[in-house]
Amino acid sequence: MRTCILLSLMLLIGEDWAEAQKKTANYDESKIPAYTLPALLTTRDGAKITTAADWTAERRPEVLALFQEHVYGRTPGNWGKVSFETREVKKDALGGKATRKLIHISLPEHPAWAGMEVMLYLPNGLKAPAPCFVGPSFGGNHAVSTEPDVPLSTRWMRPNKEKSIVDNHATEASRGNESSRWPLEMIIGQGFAVATYYYGDIEPDHVDGWKDGLRAVLSKDGAATEWKNGDWGAIGAWSWGLSRIADYLETDADIDAKKLAVIGHSRLGKTSLWTGAQDQRFGIVISNNSGEGGAATMRRNYGETTAIITKAFPHWFTKTYAGYGDNEAACPVDQHMLIALAAPRPIYIASAVDDQWADPKGEFLSGLNAEPVYVLFGKKGYGVTEPPAVDTPVGDAIGYHMRTGKHDVTDYDWTQYLRFAKKHFGQ
Ligand code: GTR
């Protein structure tokens, strides 16, 4: 009971404190202090990168290592064998339009981790293996789907009255509460599969969540320990989950594993970007309203800042990152370099005009400033240098739009992602 009260208190400090900062944050362009971005195409020892081959062989590994060391932490490599158990194949899902598979992923060498439940919807009647969107959910598979026979997640969930979360657990009334963000029929209707899992299967999203999650299980002694600079944070762990889904999809003959698009919203958009950077099996990377610690330029003091995010959500990142609060200039990376880690794979960044907390212009700028790497590969970026008007998508290998409305994932966003994926996957 006492732990429960303490936990609730800590949660309030995290989410509610961040919420309160939204009122006092800077939203005035003229008040952003001058900044210089770290050079994308100069190595740490000063060598200039002028070819795609040199980017791939020299600078890319260096930039990836810098993000591990300073922002998200290193993903350990000690999970061993991964096992997949298909627990359900429902051929007449979504009124016969789709096949729904439920796959349990676990680690036989680490039975202390309860594993993750993957829900995969496949379009019925396709003549070839399907391309697939892969993304984590905030509310669980039963929240993504409105189908009443999807098992209700039994995992810990963030308090949320509107979503009918009672005592940190989903209830029958929670079904479908995230379905507007996952327009399954629309995605299936265009010939794409969707694979998703509840991010809390990997780690509950609060400061002490790791103690009940995969990070504790994979830590050296399998016991609670303190995290050091460079150790992975929750974003790294959630991202690990997406890579394990890719492991599974590579074994599923109904899927074209050369056509996987990783997608995420908000904190899970940060997760999507970090996944795309680490795991090149994802051929397209999509960041929806990912904001600070995602696509937004770290050095712009606009909306959420490094100081705010690392105070409210220290567990998302490696410990080192907190040291850059109000001291971004000292950080050897900025987020344009994270976008560049997707190159030459297509990447899409989406903002919403009423989501100023996420700094839409800063999200746009990271894509723009990543372009020199795409150019090395003979690819085109936005084709514009100023943020486009609302609801006017731009770009080629780097796509961008600023949607009307608030922080959310809407059908408008998915319309653009489907168009982008069809174009680049040649569907
Ligand atoms: C906010 C946080 C953002 C964003 C968002 C979300 O409170 O400040 O960085 O990640 O949560 O995930 O919905």
Side-chain angles (χ1 to χ4, degrees):
M1 187 63 183
R2 267 176 64 196
T3 347
C4 262
I5 295 171
L6 202 69
L7 206 64
S8 310
L9 218 62
M10 281 180 346
L11 283 165
L12 289 179
I13 292 168
E15 299 277 348
D16 282 9
W17 185 80
E19 207 49 41
Q21 305 312 302
K22 291 185 181 172
K23 297 192 187 77
T24 50
N26 173 46
Y27 298 106
D28 182 346
E29 282 288 326
S30 71
K31 293 203 175 118
I32 299 175
Y35 63 86
T36 310
L37 291 177
L40 187 54
L41 294 178
T42 306
T43 63
R44 295 286 271 173
D45 54 18
K48 296 267 182 261
I49 298 293
T50 55
T51 66
D54 285 353
W55 165 263
T56 304
E58 287 168 39
R59 183 62 171 152
R60 189 183 191 283
E62 194 174 81
V63 171
L64 187 64
L66 289 172
F67 274 102
Q68 289 168 342
E69 207 181 315
H70 299 272
V71 186
Y72 306 108
R74 276 178 295 274
T75 305
N78 62 336
W79 61 86
K81 195 176 159 339
V82 183
S83 97
F84 314 117
E85 187 197 328
T86 303
R87 292 189 168 169
E88 182 205 71
V89 180
K90 185 183 177 184
K91 296 207 162 148
D92 59 349
L94 299 180
K97 295 190 188 100
T99 294
R100 188 181 76 210
K101 296 187 187 179
L102 298 176
I103 304 107
H104 176 74
I105 300 185
S106 61
L107 299 177
E109 289 158 41
H110 302 278
W113 179 53
M116 58 194 280
E117 315 307 325
V118 178
M119 179 171 71
L120 169 64
Y121 277 98
L122 282 154
N124 280 340
L126 283 192
K127 297 203 175 59
C132 187
F133 288 95
V134 184
S137 78
F138 284 92
N141 297 335
H142 66 270
V144 168
S145 175
T146 53
E147 296 192 296
D149 55 347
V150 172
L152 211 59
S153 172
T154 56
R155 298 299 180 95
W156 184 94
M157 301 213 171
R158 283 156 61 207
N160 192 326
K161 268 204 200 112
E162 273 167 39
K163 295 196 166 164
S164 309
I165 305 302
V166 178
D167 294 334
N168 295 112
H169 285 84
T171 60
E172 280 298 322
S174 311
R175 290 192 177 280
N177 69 31
E178 210 174 325
S179 58
S180 68
R181 290 179 173 176
W182 297 89
L184 297 174
E185 303 223 1
M186 173 177 169
I187 303 166
I188 296 295
Q190 301 213 23
F192 285 81
V194 196
T196 181
Y197 85 100
Y198 172 51
Y199 79 138
D201 283 1
I202 302 282
E203 167 167 338
D205 186 3
H206 60 81
V207 172
D208 273 338
W210 62 272
K211 292 181 180 166
D212 296 319
L214 182 82
R215 281 198 290 157
V217 172
L218 292 186
S219 66
K220 232 190 248 140
D221 47 7
T225 165
E226 285 306 316
W227 297 105
K228 295 188 291 298
N229 288 343
D231 287 344
W232 60 342
I235 287 177
W238 299 325
S239 168
W240 178 94
L242 293 170
S243 288
R244 300 297 70 75
I245 297 182
D247 292 349
Y248 163 75
L249 293 173
E250 286 183 321
T251 70
D252 189 327
D254 291 329
I255 294 292
D256 183 348
K258 295 261 176 302
K259 294 180 178 173
L260 304 181
V262 62
I263 181 165
H265 168 63
S266 204
R267 67 196 68 184
L268 299 178
K270 310 178 208 302
T271 304
S272 167
L273 288 171
W274 183 228
T275 308
Q278 293 186 100
D279 189 338
Q280 299 193 60
R281 291 174 298 175
F282 291 100
I284 290 181
V285 183
I286 301 169
S287 137
N288 191 91
N289 305 180
S290 61
E292 189 70 24
T297 304
M298 191 193 295
R299 281 164 172 74
R300 272 169 59 88
N301 177 358
Y302 189 103
E304 190 170 26
T305 61
T306 317
I308 296 172
I309 203 168
T310 54
K311 192 166 170 196
F313 309 103
H315 59 293
W316 289 355
F317 304 95
T318 198
K319 205 176 157 195
T320 327
Y321 187 47
Y324 300 117
D326 298 321
N327 185 27
E328 288 87 349
C331 186
V333 293
D334 205 309
Q335 302 307 100
H336 64 304
M337 297 159 82
L338 180 66
I339 306 301
L341 288 174
R345 295 162 295 155
I347 185 162
Y348 200 103
I349 301 168
S351 305
V353 72
D354 296 336
D355 185 19
Q356 293 296 315
W357 179 242
D359 186 10
K361 186 168 181 190
E363 294 179 320
F364 171 84
L365 287 174
S366 292
L368 182 71
N369 292 316
E371 269 185 30
V373 174
Y374 279 82
V375 169
L376 289 182
F377 286 93
K379 307 263 176 191
K380 292 196 197 90
Y382 289 154
V384 295
T385 53
E386 288 297 323
V390 286
D391 303 332
T392 313
V394 294
D396 189 359
I398 310 177
Y400 179 84
H401 72 245
M402 171 105 74
R403 171 178 51 73
T404 303
K406 64 180 175 65
H407 189 67
D408 201 359
V409 193
T410 68
D411 284 3
Y412 178 87
D413 297 313
W414 274 102
T415 302
Q416 311 319 318
Y417 303 151
L418 284 161
R419 179 183 50 76
F420 190 75
K422 276 186 177 171
K423 175 176 160 188
H424 292 288
F425 282 159
Q427 288 305 112

